[in-house]
Amino acid sequence: MRAAHPAARGLALGIGSTGALLGAVAAPRISRRIGVGRSIAVGAVLFPAPIAIAAAASGPMWARAAALGAAEFLAGIGVMLFDVNLNSLQTAVIPDAMRSRVAGAYSTVNYGIRPVGAVVGGALATLIGLRATLITAAAGGALSLLWLLPSPIPRVHSLPPDASLPADGGTEPETRPVPR
């Protein structure tokens, strides 16, 4: 498989950024329509699954670049749908006094595992090939939904319109997410 021209790769990544912008703008509207928890679940699948589109790309360079652009566009929408709604949910349920510690732990795990994934992905690509590795990554990422489904998150329909702190100065918001 020949690599795409750098300009084609750049254009594809730019298309992906457009998808991320669209996803960030649309995330609140989508979550109001289908629910915050379901939006998180959809984003958890839509973010990694399009990698399979890029893996399946073949033919002339323009077709491969279009497949990469489509994959990046859909993944951009998915990651924003996931992140915007998950961050909103976390903000609503985590007490203010704990939020920085939770964010630090979350970031440590989220960013700390990435080098391990890069090494495992490189080793897997060496063993079974790039296409098979990308398909495995797409399937494995989409299957991460299985961790989410038994949790209460998919049943959260909406967040309180104003999760302001009580007048007595306490740290717990007055309202909690509304399960469906």
Side-chain angles (χ1 to χ4, degrees), residues 41-136:
V42 169
V45 173
L46 188 56
F47 173 37
I51 295 170
I53 297 170
S58 63
M61 184 185 61
W62 66 266
R64 292 182 314 217
L68 180 59
E72 289 292 325
F73 183 82
L74 292 171
I77 291 172
V79 74
M80 287 298 114
L81 192 57
F82 181 82
D83 279 351
V84 167
N85 287 293
L86 183 63
N87 287 330
S88 297
L89 179 62
Q90 286 176 330
T91 300
V93 300
I94 298 169
D96 286 342
M98 294 288 298
R99 199 167 294 138
S100 62
R101 285 179 269 183
V102 171
Y106 181 84
S107 293
T108 298
V109 172
N110 186 16
Y111 295 112
I113 198 68
R114 291 178 186 196
V116 175
V119 169
V120 170
L124 194 59
T126 300
L127 289 172
I128 67 172
L130 181 58
R131 285 184 196 263
T133 298
L134 291 174
I135 297 286
T136 302

Side-chain angles (χ1 to χ4, degrees), residues 11 15 17-18 33 36 39 42 46 57 98 102 104-105 122 140-141 143 154 162:
L11 180 61
I15 291 169
S17 296
T18 304
R33 184 172 197 89
V36 172
S39 295
V42 169
L46 188 56
M98 294 288 298
V102 171
L143 288 173
D162 180 22

